[in-house]
Amino acid sequence: MNSEITTLEQLRVECLNCQKCGLAATRTNVVFGVGNPNARVLFIGEGPGENEDLQGEPFVGRGGQLLDKMLDAVDLSRKENIYIANIVKCRPPHNRDPQPEEQEHCINWLRAQTKLIAPKIIVCLGRISAQKLIKQNFRVTAEHGMWFEKGGIQFMGTFHPAALLRNPNNKPAAMSDFIALRDKINELCPETYTGSGLV
Ligand code: URA
Protein backbone atom coordinates (compact mmCIF):
# COMPACT_ATOMS: atom_id res chain seq x y z
CA MET A 1 0.00 0.00 0.00
CA ASN A 2 1.22 3.48 -0.90
CA SER A 3 2.67 5.03 2.28
CA GLU A 4 1.78 8.57 1.17
CA ILE A 5 -1.92 7.94 1.67
CA THR A 6 -3.30 10.36 4.25
CA THR A 7 -7.03 10.47 3.48
CA LEU A 8 -9.81 7.92 3.14
CA GLU A 9 -10.53 9.20 -0.37
CA GLN A 10 -6.92 8.51 -1.46
CA LEU A 11 -7.18 5.04 0.06
CA ARG A 12 -10.49 4.43 -1.74
CA VAL A 13 -9.00 5.34 -5.11
CA GLU A 14 -6.14 2.90 -4.53
CA CYS A 15 -8.48 0.16 -3.28
CA LEU A 16 -10.69 0.42 -6.38
CA ASN A 17 -7.79 -0.98 -8.43
CA CYS A 18 -7.05 -3.88 -6.08
CA GLN A 19 -6.11 -7.19 -7.76
CA LYS A 20 -4.75 -8.95 -4.67
CA CYS A 21 -7.10 -11.94 -4.81
CA GLY A 22 -9.35 -13.89 -7.14
CA LEU A 23 -12.48 -11.94 -6.16
CA ALA A 24 -11.24 -9.10 -8.39
CA ALA A 25 -12.05 -11.20 -11.47
CA THR A 26 -15.75 -11.59 -10.71
CA ARG A 27 -16.65 -8.27 -9.05
CA THR A 28 -18.72 -5.52 -10.63
CA ASN A 29 -17.64 -2.89 -8.07
CA VAL A 30 -15.24 -2.72 -5.17
CA VAL A 31 -17.36 -1.92 -2.09
CA PHE A 32 -14.96 0.26 -0.13
CA GLY A 33 -17.25 1.68 2.55
CA VAL A 34 -19.66 4.50 3.27
CA GLY A 35 -20.23 7.08 5.96
CA ASN A 36 -18.61 9.90 7.85
CA PRO A 37 -14.79 9.68 7.59
CA ASN A 38 -14.58 11.35 11.02
CA ALA A 39 -16.99 8.90 12.68
CA ARG A 40 -16.10 7.50 16.10
CA VAL A 41 -18.16 4.37 15.44
CA LEU A 42 -17.27 1.86 12.72
CA PHE A 43 -19.54 -1.02 11.66
CA ILE A 44 -17.91 -3.98 9.92
CA GLY A 45 -19.87 -6.59 7.95
CA GLU A 46 -18.66 -9.63 6.12
CA GLY A 47 -18.58 -8.84 2.42
CA PRO A 48 -20.73 -7.46 -0.38
CA GLY A 49 -23.73 -9.40 -1.68
CA GLU A 50 -25.31 -9.04 -5.10
CA ASN A 51 -26.94 -5.62 -4.56
CA GLU A 52 -23.82 -4.20 -2.93
CA ASP A 53 -21.66 -5.50 -5.80
CA LEU A 54 -23.97 -3.82 -8.32
CA GLN A 55 -24.23 -0.50 -6.44
CA GLY A 56 -20.75 -0.26 -4.88
CA GLU A 57 -22.14 0.47 -1.40
CA PRO A 58 -22.32 -1.81 1.67
CA PHE A 59 -25.63 -3.06 3.07
CA VAL A 60 -28.05 -1.79 0.44
CA GLY A 61 -30.23 -4.94 0.14
CA ARG A 62 -33.00 -6.11 2.49
CA GLY A 63 -30.48 -6.68 5.28
CA GLY A 64 -29.22 -3.14 4.78
CA GLN A 65 -32.72 -1.74 5.09
CA LEU A 66 -33.12 -3.56 8.40
CA LEU A 67 -29.72 -2.28 9.53
CA ASP A 68 -30.71 1.30 8.68
CA LYS A 69 -33.91 0.93 10.74
CA MET A 70 -32.00 -0.39 13.76
CA LEU A 71 -29.45 2.40 13.41
CA ASP A 72 -32.22 4.96 13.20
CA ALA A 73 -33.75 3.63 16.44
CA VAL A 74 -30.58 4.69 18.28
CA ASP A 75 -30.07 7.93 16.31
CA LEU A 76 -27.28 6.62 14.10
CA SER A 77 -27.09 7.14 10.35
CA ARG A 78 -24.64 6.11 7.64
CA LYS A 79 -25.07 9.57 6.14
CA GLU A 80 -24.13 11.40 9.33
CA ASN A 81 -22.39 9.86 12.30
CA ILE A 82 -21.04 6.36 11.55
CA TYR A 83 -18.94 4.57 8.95
CA ILE A 84 -19.74 1.13 7.48
CA ALA A 85 -17.28 -1.24 5.78
CA ASN A 86 -16.75 -4.96 5.28
CA ILE A 87 -14.00 -7.53 5.95
CA VAL A 88 -13.73 -8.18 2.19
CA LYS A 89 -14.40 -5.45 -0.36
CA CYS A 90 -15.44 -7.66 -3.28
CA ARG A 91 -18.40 -10.04 -3.55
CA PRO A 92 -17.62 -13.73 -3.04
CA PRO A 93 -19.39 -15.63 -5.88
CA HIS A 94 -22.86 -16.96 -4.93
CA ASN A 95 -22.50 -15.16 -1.55
CA ARG A 96 -20.28 -17.90 -0.12
CA ASP A 97 -18.23 -17.07 3.00
CA PRO A 98 -15.04 -15.19 2.14
CA GLN A 99 -12.14 -17.67 2.30
CA PRO A 100 -9.39 -17.13 4.91
CA GLU A 101 -6.84 -16.20 2.19
CA GLU A 102 -9.28 -13.63 0.73
CA GLN A 103 -9.83 -12.16 4.18
CA GLU A 104 -6.06 -12.02 4.77
CA HIS A 105 -5.43 -10.25 1.45
CA CYS A 106 -8.20 -7.74 2.11
CA ILE A 107 -7.67 -7.02 5.80
CA ASN A 108 -4.89 -4.51 5.08
CA TRP A 109 -7.44 -2.23 3.41
CA LEU A 110 -9.59 -2.41 6.55
CA ARG A 111 -6.56 -1.83 8.79
CA ALA A 112 -5.70 1.28 6.78
CA GLN A 113 -9.32 2.47 6.90
CA THR A 114 -9.41 1.94 10.66
CA LYS A 115 -6.16 3.89 11.12
CA LEU A 116 -7.48 6.85 9.12
CA ILE A 117 -10.95 6.88 10.72
CA ALA A 118 -9.54 6.20 14.22
CA PRO A 119 -12.83 4.96 15.71
CA LYS A 120 -13.43 4.57 19.45
CA ILE A 121 -15.96 1.77 18.90
CA ILE A 122 -16.14 -1.05 16.33
CA VAL A 123 -19.34 -3.10 15.91
CA CYS A 124 -18.87 -6.46 14.17
CA LEU A 125 -21.95 -7.52 12.23
CA GLY A 126 -22.05 -11.31 12.25
CA ARG A 127 -19.75 -14.25 12.87
CA ILE A 128 -17.21 -13.73 10.09
CA SER A 129 -16.47 -10.17 11.16
CA ALA A 130 -16.44 -10.92 14.91
CA GLN A 131 -14.21 -13.98 14.47
CA LYS A 132 -11.75 -12.00 12.36
CA LEU A 133 -11.66 -8.87 14.54
CA ILE A 134 -12.54 -9.93 18.09
CA LYS A 135 -11.49 -13.56 18.53
CA GLN A 136 -11.32 -16.67 16.40
CA ASN A 137 -13.87 -18.65 18.42
CA PHE A 138 -16.41 -15.81 18.85
CA ARG A 139 -19.98 -17.17 19.11
CA VAL A 140 -22.64 -14.63 18.23
CA THR A 141 -25.48 -16.32 20.13
CA ALA A 142 -23.45 -16.53 23.34
CA GLU A 143 -21.30 -13.39 23.14
CA HIS A 144 -23.34 -10.75 21.28
CA GLY A 145 -23.49 -7.44 23.09
CA MET A 146 -20.32 -8.04 25.13
CA TRP A 147 -17.49 -5.50 25.04
CA PHE A 148 -13.88 -6.39 24.24
CA GLU A 149 -11.07 -3.84 24.45
CA LYS A 150 -8.27 -4.11 21.90
CA GLY A 151 -5.65 -1.46 21.20
CA GLY A 152 -7.71 1.30 22.79
CA ILE A 153 -10.83 0.45 20.76
CA GLN A 154 -14.03 -1.07 22.23
CA PHE A 155 -15.34 -3.96 20.10
CA MET A 156 -18.81 -5.52 20.19
CA GLY A 157 -20.17 -8.36 18.06
CA THR A 158 -23.85 -8.61 17.19
CA PHE A 159 -26.17 -10.44 14.81
CA HIS A 160 -25.74 -10.02 11.07
CA PRO A 161 -28.83 -8.29 9.58
CA ALA A 162 -29.29 -11.14 7.05
CA ALA A 163 -29.33 -13.62 9.96
CA LEU A 164 -32.04 -11.51 11.63
CA LEU A 165 -34.13 -11.68 8.46
CA ARG A 166 -33.80 -15.48 8.54
CA ASN A 167 -34.46 -15.68 12.28
CA PRO A 168 -36.54 -12.70 13.48
CA ASN A 169 -36.69 -14.21 17.00
CA ASN A 170 -33.25 -12.67 17.56
CA LYS A 171 -34.39 -9.13 16.72
CA PRO A 172 -35.10 -8.10 20.36
CA ALA A 173 -31.63 -9.33 21.42
CA ALA A 174 -30.06 -7.41 18.54
CA MET A 175 -31.98 -4.29 19.49
CA SER A 176 -30.74 -4.53 23.07
CA ASP A 177 -27.18 -4.67 21.66
CA PHE A 178 -27.87 -1.43 19.80
CA ILE A 179 -29.17 0.15 23.01
CA ALA A 180 -25.97 -0.97 24.80
CA LEU A 181 -24.09 0.61 21.90
CA ARG A 182 -25.95 3.90 22.40
CA ASP A 183 -24.98 3.85 26.10
CA LYS A 184 -21.32 3.17 25.21
CA ILE A 185 -21.34 6.02 22.69
CA ASN A 186 -22.75 8.39 25.31
CA GLU A 187 -19.94 7.30 27.65
CA LEU A 188 -16.99 7.35 25.22
CA CYS A 189 -17.84 9.61 22.31
CA PRO A 190 -20.99 11.70 22.86
CA GLU A 191 -19.90 13.93 19.97
CA THR A 192 -21.42 11.18 17.79
CA TYR A 193 -24.79 12.58 18.82
CA THR A 194 -23.95 16.25 19.05
CA GLY A 195 -22.03 16.33 15.78
CA SER A 196 -19.14 18.38 17.16
CA GLY A 197 -15.82 17.27 15.67
CA LEU A 198 -17.40 14.93 13.13
CA VAL A 199 -17.43 17.33 10.20
N1 URA B 1 -23.64 -8.43 4.00
C1 URA B 1 -22.48 -7.92 4.48
O1 URA B 1 -21.86 -8.49 5.37
N2 URA B 1 -22.05 -6.78 3.98
C2 URA B 1 -22.69 -6.10 3.03
O2 URA B 1 -22.22 -5.06 2.62
C3 URA B 1 -23.90 -6.64 2.56
C4 URA B 1 -24.35 -7.80 3.06
Side-chain angles (χ1 to χ4, degrees):
M1 211 166 296
N2 183 339
S3 59
E4 284 164 24
I5 288 178
T6 56
T7 69
L8 215 49
E9 182 50 26
Q10 288 170 334
L11 187 69
R12 192 180 72 84
V13 169
E14 183 138 326
C15 184
L16 295 190
N17 293 316
C18 184
Q19 298 286 338
K20 284 188 212 161
C21 81
L23 297 182
T26 50
R27 73 181 176 222
T28 311
N29 284 295
V30 172
V31 179
F32 179 69
V34 69
N36 188 327
N38 300 313
R40 309 287 194 262
V41 186
L42 176 57
F43 284 76
I44 311 281
E46 172 181 327
E50 184 179 17
N51 294 301
E52 292 76 20
D53 175 62
L54 291 173
Q55 295 181 44
E57 180 169 331
F59 289 104
V60 290
R62 275 183 66 226
Q65 287 165 22
L66 174 60
L67 177 62
D68 283 339
K69 271 195 204 159
M70 295 171 70
L71 290 170
D72 187 55
V74 290
D75 299 315
L76 297 173
S77 147
R78 65 172 78 199
K79 292 203 171 71
E80 285 165 31
N81 53 6
I82 60 163
Y83 196 92
I84 307 178
N86 281 308
I87 297 283
V88 296
K89 311 295 191 223
C90 299
R91 182 190 181 202
H94 312 296
N95 297 348
R96 63 160 169 74
D97 286 354
Q99 291 164 353
E101 315 84 72
E102 292 161 351
Q103 295 184 37
E104 263 320 293
H105 281 300
C106 213
I107 198 81
N108 285 332
W109 294 116
L110 183 59
R111 288 205 181 101
Q113 278 176 305
T114 306
K115 242 188 185 167
L116 289 168
I117 297 169
K120 293 249 177 21
I121 296 172
I122 292 183
V123 179
C124 297
L125 295 168
R127 172 182 59 88
I128 297 275
S129 171
Q131 291 189 343
K132 189 73 185 165
L133 301 179
I134 299 176
K135 56 178 181 157
Q136 217 184 340
N137 59 354
F138 189 94
R139 290 192 51 232
V140 175
T141 42
E143 293 173 291
H144 71 90
M146 293 181 181
W147 292 101
F148 298 82
E149 196 272 341
K150 284 175 98 180
I153 301 175
Q154 291 288 332
F155 287 77
M156 179 222 273
T158 188
F159 300 87
H160 192 284
L164 293 175
L165 289 174
R166 284 193 301 272
N167 188 357
N169 289 343
N170 285 327
K171 280 186 187 176
M175 210 49 243
S176 62
D177 294 347
F178 275 59
I179 288 165
L181 169 64
R182 184 181 62 191
D183 292 345
K184 189 63 98 179
I185 291 171
N186 278 323
E187 178 192 331
L188 296 183
C189 43
E191 63 272 31
T192 295
Y193 289 132
T194 62
S196 67
L198 297 193
V199 282

